[in-house]
Amino acid sequence: SYGGYATLAGVAFTPDVYAAGVSIVGPSNLITLLESIPPYWEQIRKLFYERMGDPNTPEGKAQLMRQSPLTAAGKIKTPLLVIQGANDPRVNKRESDQIVIALRDRGFPVEYMVAPDEGHGFARPVNNMAMFASAEKFLAKYLGGRYQESMTPEVSQRLNEINVDVKTVTMPKMMTASAEVPKPAVDLRPGTFNYKASIAIQGQEIPLTVKTDIKEENGAWTVNETAVLPQGEVSDVSTIEKGSLLLKRRYIKQGPMTIEMNVAPNKLSGATTVNGQAKPIDADPGGALFADGAGAFEVIASLPLADGYSLSFRNFDVQKQKPQIKQLKVLGTESVTVPAGTFDAYKVEILAADNDADKQTVWIDKGTRKVLKISAVLPNLNGAILTSELVN
């Protein structure tokens, strides 16, 4: 992490000093690094602002840009091996892509390794062994000396799977939100839905139960999603406008942290409170928020889904305190089996425009539009995978 940053900074800011560099999950953009700090690390955020620069001030932002290797990627000429987890919440894969492209396009040596099942640091032993085998060979090439060529079939296979042909790396395309707010085909329906779920992280599986309760209150929909984890209960409550299904209010409670947000098309207000200390929310979302918070997948299920259907819409990233564009696409239909039964379902993929690690896949029953199954990458949990299946 910091060693990866030191490698990138060394080859970007002093390109004539080093013979070779290996960057393992190295942050290249200090502004997005600071944005990835979760709300419950507020004291750490303040400390980082003092040490590194405050992105909320012109001077601090300029300093962070100046100290970010990504802004000087065009100066790198040292042979470089970049190692990245696809689900890294701290180091956005797009940043590593751009560094690889900067060297490749100017004809300088660069190698790239991306593990699709890792976050900020490799947890799986087979990925670690493949990484070290690759790094050893890379350093031997540019520094001289020997390396161990032999390896187990499992490591050899994994090495082939996560090595990336740098010729195939392309500059990430940024999505833009459509001017029109998505129009649902049907409204929500009241009901209670129970899910069996688990979070897979670093080789471990954490069981949890999830309940979604939808009811009509005061002329609007109230959706309450409750997840029960071994560490306690997490509650997310959304107030959603009938018909348009636009988010109007959101309230999150997790341990000592609460987030309360009131939503208008050009104004978000509220506060994030941790251990009794409140930080105000005051932001412009740039438009209406859709399919955000509790009930988001039920709102998506209300769209006019069909094979090939796609759209972009706005969410609000509570952690970064800024709007987030998401892209939805129906990948097709398939049969899916969950504890509630076997169904013909639309398979829908949802990607965040600013973070490749933020990916969700949801299966929705074609007939009833019930949300059957969810698979979601959790960037804030180092790329953990949440799987949720309908029980009843």
Side-chain angles (χ1 to χ4, degrees):
S1 187
Y2 178 79
Y5 168 78
T7 296
L8 295 175
V11 299
F13 304 139
T14 53
D16 297 317
V17 173
Y18 300 99
V22 179
S23 172
I24 302 174
V25 298
S28 63
N29 185 329
L30 297 184
I31 292 177
T32 56
L33 174 68
L34 291 176
E35 287 178 345
S36 72
I37 298 175
Y40 51 86
W41 285 7
E42 190 57 34
Q43 294 305 314
I44 295 177
R45 184 196 306 275
K46 293 178 180 178
L47 181 62
F48 278 17
Y49 283 4
E50 292 178 6
R51 291 177 173 177
M52 298 166 58
D54 186 343
N56 299 309
T57 67
E59 299 82 5
K61 187 173 182 179
Q63 179 178 337
L64 291 165
M65 292 291 290
R66 187 170 61 251
Q67 295 172 166
S68 294
L70 186 61
T71 62
K75 298 179 181 178
I76 300 174
K77 56 185 180 180
T78 306
L80 189 63
L81 169 60
V82 179
I83 296 168
Q84 172 79 40
N87 305 318
D88 194 330
R90 302 282 174 259
V91 181
N92 194 315
K93 179 178 172 291
R94 294 168 181 265
E95 298 167 19
S96 292
D97 289 345
Q98 290 178 64
I99 286 177
V100 169
I101 290 169
L103 275 91
R104 179 201 66 193
D105 288 355
R106 291 181 297 117
F108 291 104
V110 61
E111 298 180 20
Y112 197 20
M113 176 179 288
V114 179
D117 52 354
E118 297 285 7
H120 191 57
F122 286 8
R124 294 187 61 199
V126 68
N127 287 337
N128 270 314
M129 291 300 292
M131 175 180 68
F132 289 130
S134 183
E136 187 182 45
K137 183 178 180 180
F138 175 84
L139 292 173
K141 179 177 180 180
Y142 293 104
L143 301 181
R146 59 195 175 92
Y147 68 95
Q148 180 179 320
E149 296 188 54
S150 63
M151 60 188 74
T152 65
E154 293 79 12
V155 173
S156 177
Q157 177 182 341
R158 195 57 179 157
L159 194 58
N160 290 330
E161 291 170 346
I162 64 179
N163 269 335
V164 177
D165 182 353
V166 297
K167 295 178 182 177
T168 66
V169 181
T170 57
M171 189 65 74
K173 295 180 179 179
M174 296 303 292
M175 304 173 198
T176 58
S178 59
E180 296 184 6
V181 176
K183 295 181 179 179
V186 295
D187 212 334
L188 295 182
R189 287 179 288 183
T192 299
F193 307 91
N194 295 291
Y195 293 85
K196 177 182 178 182
S198 65
I199 296 176
I201 181 170
Q202 296 184 350
Q204 297 182 338
E205 191 165 292
I206 304 171
L208 61 150
T209 58
V210 178
K211 182 172 75 171
T212 300
D213 185 53
I214 304 174
K215 57 185 177 181
E216 185 179 352
E217 289 184 329
N218 301 318
W221 296 111
T222 298
V223 183
N224 187 349
E225 288 185 358
T226 306
V228 180
L229 295 82
Q231 297 85 354
E233 185 175 287
V234 180
S235 176
D236 190 350
V237 182
S238 291
T239 300
I240 299 173
E241 188 174 77
K242 293 188 70 175
S244 70
L245 301 187
L246 298 179
L247 181 66
K248 308 306 291 182
R249 186 176 182 273
R250 188 177 181 191
Y251 179 79
I252 304 169
K253 181 172 176 56
Q254 180 177 3
M257 179 184 72
T258 62
I259 300 173
E260 186 170 3
M261 189 169 68
N262 296 304
V263 182
N266 297 301
K267 176 72 172 179
L268 297 179
S269 60
T272 298
T273 304
V274 182
N275 293 321
Q277 295 187 343
K279 179 181 179 181
I281 295 174
D282 184 6
D284 182 354
L289 301 186
F290 187 81
D292 195 2
F297 295 113
E298 283 71 22
V299 169
I300 287 169
S302 300
L303 291 168
L305 303 177
D307 288 356
Y309 176 82
S310 66
L311 61 85
S312 57
F313 57 92
R314 288 181 182 85
N315 278 183
F316 182 74
D317 190 321
V318 176
Q319 177 175 300
K320 296 181 180 179
Q321 294 287 289
K322 67 178 188 179
Q324 184 183 50
I325 306 304
K326 295 210 168 182
Q327 179 73 49
L328 176 152
K329 184 175 182 180
V330 178
L331 301 180
T333 59
E334 63 182 39
S335 177
V336 60
T337 299
V338 295
T342 299
F343 304 85
D344 289 327
Y346 289 114
K347 183 179 181 181
V348 182
E349 182 181 73
I350 305 159
L351 299 173
D354 61 349
N355 189 351
D356 293 337
D358 191 344
K359 176 182 176 181
Q360 301 163 321
T361 308
V362 56
W363 287 261
I364 297 168
D365 180 41
K366 294 181 68 175
T368 64
R369 296 301 178 95
K370 290 180 181 177
V371 177
L372 303 172
K373 180 179 178 180
I374 301 163
S375 176
V377 178
L378 306 177
N380 294 336
L381 288 181
N382 206 30
I385 305 295
L386 168 68
T387 302
S388 182
E389 297 182 339
L390 181 67
V391 175
N392 58 38

